[in-house]
Amino acid sequence: MVSMTDMTDALNLALAVLVLGLAAWTIVARQTFAAVAGFIAYGLLLTLVWVQLSAPDVAMTEAAIGAGLTGALLI
């Protein structure tokens, strides 16, 4: 049987791998639109990381400013 701690550890590992992979992909993207789309997805993943760290105020700010407003301005 899978315990809740194992599921949390798996989620944390998956988030870490996704965030690092998406950050690297955003840096090496050649096209501007692809880099901006990667940046927006990166901000949304960071929102999930902040939620996982029990910081909902920081998560809402990251979603609004990091992914939303900055992404819209870059597009």
Side-chain angles (χ1 to χ4, degrees):
M1 181 150 221
V2 178
S3 68
M4 190 61 121
T5 305
D6 292 338
M7 290 176 54
T8 303
D9 290 343
L11 176 65
N12 290 339
L13 182 63
L15 279 174
V17 168
L18 283 172
V19 166
L20 289 174
L22 192 55
W25 181 78
T26 302
I27 290 171
V28 299
R30 294 281 186 198
Q31 297 174 343
T32 305
F33 184 76
V36 172
F39 179 78
I40 292 170
Y42 178 77
L44 293 175
L45 275 177
L46 279 181
T47 300
L48 292 177
V49 170
W50 287 118
V51 168
Q52 185 67 19
L53 291 171
S54 300
D57 53 341
V58 180
M60 288 190 307
T61 303
E62 177 65 36
I65 303 295
L69 183 63
T70 305
L73 287 173
L74 289 174
I75 286 178

